[in-house]
Amino acid sequence: MATEDIAKSLEDSNLESETKEDIVTPWDVAGADDTGIDYDKLIKRFGSSKVDNEVIAKLEKVAGKPVHHLIRRGIFFSHRDLFTLLNLWEQGKRFYLYTGRGPSSESMHLGHLIPFVVTKWLQEAFDIPLVIQMTDDEKALWKNIEIEEALRLTKENVKDIIAMGFDPSKTFIFSSLTYMGQCPEYYRNVIRIQKCVTFNQVKGIFGFGDSDVIGKIGFPAVQAAPALSSTFPHIFGKEKVPVLIPCAIDQDPYFRMTRDVAPRLGFPKPALLHSTFFPALQGAKTKMSASDLNSAIFLTDTPKQIKTKINKHAFSGGRVTVEEHREFGGNTDIDVPYQLLRFFLEDDPELEKIRIAYSSGEMLSGEIKKLAIECLQPIVAKHQESRKSITEDVLELFMTPRKLNFK
């Protein structure tokens, strides 16, 4: 598909999104009702493919083990060319992983972990290299954060990512603001991509206006370049290696552009695996946000803070009175405590037991909130304990360009 067609498709998608009141862009997410974004409609609008049972069976066959529960439960719900990538793997052709994080707060929150959780599973399942981009340049442009502060937030967020247990021998984490000066091929690929996309096209894709600073207009190429393996000559040399990008669906516009440009530059189209949005505590109409302290559970929160936030702010799918709830049951589609369990409770039979009990009215809203609290408190505490061991030396190890160890 030509870039002009992509731009028109995205413009049409934006118009339809506004009509339906579902807004999904890299910078803004808002659902039309309490159930949140209609992901089936989003797949049609964006032109991606559903992660169905056939895809899951193929992934399990090639990986040689059951898929992660976030994939099995449909939280990673959409893909582009995943089948193609898995077929190449069966032919003996490797791929690498690329994902990222825009550091805008001192601490990451639980929603930020989701793409990294599945990325880690994929890395371990396939024993492949991973590059993680910290788009501190993006946050300096969009959030009006000073460059020095953006670099500081990058280091803090990288510590959160490392604490998840990534293998340093297979993982390279880089700051856009720093790596651009360390690797000339990165900037060269940015220019190559920028030469392929006109100003009108990038406005059509991303909705930039005449009053936007010029840095925003050029930024999409910075996020696209890591999908070209030559951006990392210390890892791949000159080999043109396919890439799989696990990310939230709001990042897809960047890579629709990249999928058009990559073949023109002699590289494979990047494959993608999209996740749904992690709901804000106030409900699934929007995603958990680092800019709203009461919408998110941060990785620095104490057990008491987690308990207070869920009890006070977590949107309930329960009924107005206990009597009504006992008679009609709760709605798990909109109940945030249940959704938190759906993301983080790994035990499928236990989750189903909770769903049935809450939906039937046997379990009350206070009880399901208690279960969500008890699920999340040890996860956050474990992460905090792991983060304590992340020294400056460990940080430097992950962020130093070097050859990685993989098959």
Side-chain angles (χ1 to χ4, degrees):
M1 182 184 286
T3 307
E4 291 89 347
D5 294 332
I6 292 176
K8 185 179 186 307
S9 172
L10 286 166
E11 287 172 337
D12 292 343
S13 294
N14 289 338
L15 286 173
E16 183 181 345
S17 178
E18 290 171 4
T19 302
K20 301 292 185 182
E21 297 182 37
D22 264 7
I23 299 171
V24 177
T25 75
W27 310 283
D28 193 15
V29 174
D33 55 44
D34 289 338
T35 58
I37 303 300
D38 187 326
Y39 291 105
D40 287 334
K41 288 183 180 178
L42 199 60
I43 286 175
K44 291 179 182 178
R45 288 214 321 260
F46 281 12
S48 59
S49 301
K50 187 178 180 64
V51 175
D52 56 19
N53 290 335
E54 186 181 3
V55 175
I56 290 174
K58 178 74 169 182
L59 186 54
E60 289 186 334
K61 176 190 172 187
V62 176
K65 63 179 183 178
V67 295
H68 195 278
H69 72 269
L70 290 174
I71 301 174
R72 188 170 61 247
R73 293 175 186 169
I75 290 167
F76 278 77
F77 72 105
S78 165
H79 75 95
R80 295 187 187 277
D81 284 347
L82 183 56
F83 254 105
T84 301
L85 201 68
L86 296 176
N87 286 334
L88 288 172
W89 179 268
E90 288 183 312
Q91 297 167 21
K93 298 178 182 178
R94 68 185 180 205
F95 61 92
Y96 72 102
L97 295 164
Y98 159 41
T99 192
R101 160 82 186 123
S104 59
S105 58
E106 185 120 356
S107 168
M108 290 167 55
H109 61 58
L110 286 177
H112 295 143
L113 295 182
I114 301 306
F116 292 107
V117 168
V118 166
T119 298
K120 185 172 181 287
W121 181 88
L122 289 163
Q123 183 186 38
E124 292 171 352
F126 291 94
D127 188 22
I128 49 178
L130 162 66
V131 296
I132 299 173
Q133 181 184 38
M134 306 300 293
T135 53
D136 35 23
D137 50 345
E138 177 195 23
K139 295 307 175 184
L141 289 165
W142 266 269
K143 297 289 187 180
N144 199 25
I145 298 172
E146 293 296 325
I147 287 177
E148 293 75 17
E149 176 64 2
L151 286 165
R152 187 187 72 82
L153 294 177
T154 284
K155 285 190 172 185
E156 294 304 314
N157 282 200
V158 170
K159 290 177 183 177
D160 278 332
I161 294 169
I162 295 172
M164 297 179 67
F166 285 101
D167 185 345
S169 72
K170 298 180 178 67
T171 306
F172 173 50
I173 307 176
F174 65 98
S175 148
S176 291
L177 290 171
T178 302
Y179 187 56
M180 192 76 76
Q182 294 172 321
C183 179
E185 195 59 29
Y186 184 17
Y187 185 58
R188 292 167 190 169
N189 277 343
V190 168
I191 296 300
R192 290 180 181 114
I193 293 167
Q194 288 176 342
K195 287 177 67 177
C196 293
V197 186
T198 69
F199 178 48
N200 281 336
Q201 289 163 356
V202 83
K203 282 201 301 183
I205 294 169
F206 297 99
F208 297 141
D210 292 341
S211 60
D212 280 313
V213 297
I214 59 174
K216 291 184 179 181
I217 297 160
F219 172 75
V222 176
Q223 185 159 323
L228 309 183
S229 56
S230 64
T231 298
F232 310 100
H234 56 281
I235 302 174
F236 304 110
K238 295 182 179 180
E239 188 178 355
K240 295 179 177 180
V241 184
V243 64
L244 173 62
I245 307 171
C247 62
I249 189 71
D250 59 343
Q251 298 301 300
D252 189 66
Y254 287 110
F255 302 114
R256 273 180 276 177
M257 181 195 78
T258 311
R259 282 169 57 82
D260 174 62
V261 171
R264 294 158 63 185
L265 297 176
F267 288 87
K269 288 185 177 183
L272 286 101
L273 183 58
H274 303 121
S275 74
T276 61
F277 301 113
F278 195 80
L281 290 176
Q282 286 76 13
K285 281 188 175 182
T286 186
K287 63 179 181 177
M288 197 169 274
S289 171
S291 60
D292 184 350
L293 297 180
N294 289 325
S295 81
I297 295 173
F298 289 87
L299 298 175
T300 50
D301 282 349
T302 65
K304 183 178 179 181
Q305 286 174 318
I306 294 171
K307 181 178 180 180
T308 299
K309 284 183 177 182
I310 292 177
N311 280 331
K312 186 175 181 180
H313 299 291
F315 187 84
S316 173
R319 303 292 174 169
V320 176
T321 66
V322 171
E323 291 75 20
E324 284 184 14
H325 187 89
R326 292 294 191 198
E327 182 177 357
F328 300 108
N331 184 351
T332 55
D333 289 338
I334 63 173
D335 191 88
V336 169
Y338 176 80
Q339 293 304 318
L340 293 174
L341 291 167
R342 184 167 166 260
F343 275 85
F344 284 102
L345 181 63
E346 296 183 17
D347 189 327
D348 283 346
E350 181 64 20
L351 182 67
E352 178 63 6
K353 181 180 174 183
I354 294 167
R355 186 192 69 79
I356 292 171
Y358 191 67
S359 300
S360 68
E362 177 187 346
M363 179 181 289
L364 298 176
S365 295
E367 294 172 306
I368 200 170
K369 285 185 176 183
K370 182 174 183 291
L371 291 176
I373 291 164
E374 291 172 350
C375 175
L376 297 182
Q377 283 176 334
I379 291 173
V380 174
K382 181 181 177 182
H383 186 276
Q384 291 171 357
E385 190 63 31
S386 177
R387 195 182 189 279
K388 290 177 184 176
S389 65
I390 311 302
T391 64
E392 288 297 316
D393 288 342
V394 173
L395 197 68
E396 184 177 357
L397 171 62
F398 274 90
M399 300 190 74
T400 297
R402 65 204 185 283
K403 189 171 180 61
L404 299 182
N405 178 28
F406 54 94
K407 288 191 233 179

